[in-house]
Amino acid sequence: DWHTDVVQIVSIQPDLPSVTILSVPRDLYLYIPGFWMSRINFADMYGEVYKYEGGGPALLQQTLLYNLGIPIHHYVRTDFDGLTGIVNAIGGIDVPVPCRLQDHWYYPDENGEYPIKVLEPGVRHMDGDWALWYARSRLTSSVFDRERRQQQVLEAIWRKARSLELLPRIPELWSQFDSMIST
């Protein structure tokens, strides 16, 4: 069993041009169509485990449409390794950190303990591991702060991809990213 860690709805409006991000709290209770009331972060797993037509992404799309009236036309799904791989593949990201953040590192040290890491305010260059830690941290902040940080990481990836002019090169780079995401 797994639970989706992050649900972000990204709306791309090329005519404006505009990109907006809406965070859906992972603990939000909604009706999962054809199933029951549950947290939104169970929808993907239910779709896969119960062989919903289209799998987990299709059930998550239907859940968002049914409960929030938001149609989802495309999706990108990745795991923690995929996020760190994407960030590392583009040479890291620069994220404006607004306040001090302190939390456990998600990898144990040589003693099997999870050390406390601290990130001070300022624009910080992050590799994939730090970006994942920053996006997932919740020990000393709220779920709303966590969602804001997740948006910051997505925005930083977008900015870096644009600055490197990667978007027109996606077809040639696809083999590098293919193992990190599903669409």
Side-chain angles (χ1 to χ4, degrees), residues 69-82:
I70 301 172
I72 305 297
H73 304 291
H74 306 282
Y75 73 92
V76 175
R77 176 172 61 176
T78 192
D79 59 12
F80 298 148
D81 291 336

Side-chain angles (χ1 to χ4, degrees), residues 90 155-168:
I90 62 174
E155 291 166 358
I157 292 169
W158 174 254
R159 279 192 308 274
K160 184 69 175 269
R162 288 186 63 196
S163 75
L164 295 174
E165 298 181 1
L166 293 181
L167 300 180

Side-chain angles (χ1 to χ4, degrees), residues 105-115:
W105 190 246
Y106 53 90
Y107 294 129
D109 62 16
E110 60 278 351
N111 300 320
E113 297 176 6
Y114 294 86

Side-chain angles (χ1 to χ4, degrees), residues 128-145:
D129 287 335
W130 274 101
L132 179 62
W133 177 85
Y134 184 72
R136 295 195 67 221
S137 177
R138 59 179 176 233
L139 183 66
T140 58
S141 64
S142 73
V143 67
F144 302 110
D145 292 332

Side-chain angles (χ1 to χ4, degrees), residues 2 26-27 52 55-57 67 108 122 124 130 137 142 146 149 153 165-166 176 181:
W2 68 91
R26 69 187 191 152
D27 294 329
Y52 185 83
N67 290 277
R124 301 288 175 221
W130 274 101
S137 177
S142 73
R146 182 176 184 263
R149 288 192 303 274
V153 167
E165 298 181 1
L166 293 181
Q176 186 174 357
I181 63 172

Side-chain angles (χ1 to χ4, degrees), residues 101 174 176:
L101 188 62
W174 182 250
Q176 186 174 357

